[in-house]
Amino acid sequence: MHVLILGGTTEARRLAELLAGEAGLRVTSSLAGRVAAPRLPPGEVRVGGFGGVDGLADWLREHRVDALIDATHPFAGTISANAAAAAALAHVPPLALRRPGWVAADGDDWRPVGSLEEAARALPGLGSRVFLTTGRMGLAAFAGPELAGLWFLVRSVDAPERPIPARVEVLLDRGPFTLDGERELLRRHRIDVVVTKDSGGSATAPKLVAAREAGVPVVVVRRPPGPEGVAAVATPGEAVAWVRLLGG
């Protein structure tokens, strides 16, 4: 049985580790190639795109894939849509592995928005020193002249793509992050507003606790809905159970 994992996340790596111990399984993990030095999972690994829906469908047929698990980032909407469509074309059962989103706690000051552009429009009046943790792509939304008076601390694994905000300091770092470290970062840079995507998971959640403790508002970009008709699970263990059930 051949399982293709669309990966790049902590959950995808953990799923590949769990499936590597299953008898009678061939596991291939596909990485988009957007990170210069990704953490490679066990098993076969391919890097790069497939060429859209038709290219992925052809790959599924050519490599005789029996199950497709989309374990990409919750905000990788295009990839998830393409995966669902390709699986339907190739008649391969799909599954989405999605970590649960974050839930606000008592004392949180969250400002939910629907996009990076909405997040940028929400910033004036909230603060002047922004901790921007939305990744290296899409920073053009914060590069407009209307935000020229704000200072940004941008944290990402690799150097961000331009255009970027006019007044910016780039911090290249990879999670997981600690609560003490996030507290010190907010204090040292005098951060008074945080912008994040609702990625979920524990690796980057400490910034939310640090912001709550400091009374700092957090602009939270809501995650997009997943493709219709694709079953979803929240943990790698549940995905393994799905594969076992599929294999009979």
Side-chain angles (χ1 to χ4, degrees):
M1 183 178 179
H2 187 189
V3 179
L4 174 63
I5 301 172
L6 303 182
T9 60
T10 301
E11 291 78 15
R13 287 191 299 274
R14 179 57 182 155
L15 176 58
E17 291 170 356
L18 293 174
L19 292 180
E22 295 282 316
L25 280 186
R26 174 189 173 194
V27 179
T28 301
S29 294
S30 177
L31 308 180
R34 291 176 177 170
V35 176
R39 295 171 178 170
L40 298 181
E44 300 176 37
V45 177
R46 70 174 302 280
V47 178
F50 291 92
V53 173
D54 290 337
L56 177 53
D58 288 342
W59 199 95
L60 295 175
R61 297 187 192 100
E62 179 183 350
H63 294 268
R64 298 184 179 182
V65 173
D66 300 292
L68 170 62
I69 301 178
D70 173 17
T72 56
H73 193 276
F75 282 82
T78 299
I79 297 174
S80 294
N82 287 352
L89 283 176
H91 304 289
V92 173
L95 179 74
L97 171 56
R98 291 283 180 270
R99 70 183 77 139
W102 290 315
V103 178
D106 289 343
D108 280 326
D109 181 7
W110 287 10
R111 314 296 176 96
V113 295
S115 66
L116 292 177
E117 290 73 20
E118 285 187 39
R121 292 194 293 270
L123 287 177
L126 282 182
S128 60
R129 297 183 67 82
V130 185
F131 183 25
L132 189 54
T133 67
T134 56
R136 69 186 183 92
M137 303 172 64
L139 298 186
F142 304 90
E146 66 277 5
L147 299 182
L150 305 185
W151 180 88
F152 290 84
L153 175 66
V154 172
R155 182 168 69 190
S156 61
V157 176
D158 293 317
E161 296 183 351
R162 293 183 179 275
I164 60 176
R167 301 174 60 208
V168 63
E169 178 176 332
V170 175
L171 175 62
L172 300 183
D173 202 357
R174 187 199 303 260
F177 302 104
T178 67
L179 178 55
D180 284 344
E182 299 294 65
R183 287 168 174 155
E184 173 59 19
L185 184 147
L186 296 187
R187 185 199 63 78
R188 185 171 70 253
H189 294 282
R190 307 193 312 281
I191 298 298
D192 53 16
V193 59
V194 175
V195 180
T196 185
K197 293 177 177 177
D198 180 15
S199 300
S202 60
T204 60
K207 66 190 170 191
L208 302 174
V209 179
R212 181 195 313 144
E213 293 177 347
V216 170
V218 182
V219 179
V220 181
V221 181
R222 293 186 293 265
R223 59 174 61 181
E228 293 185 5
V230 176
V233 296
T235 68
E238 291 175 293
V240 171
W242 178 84
V243 171
R244 289 173 178 167
L245 184 64
L246 195 65

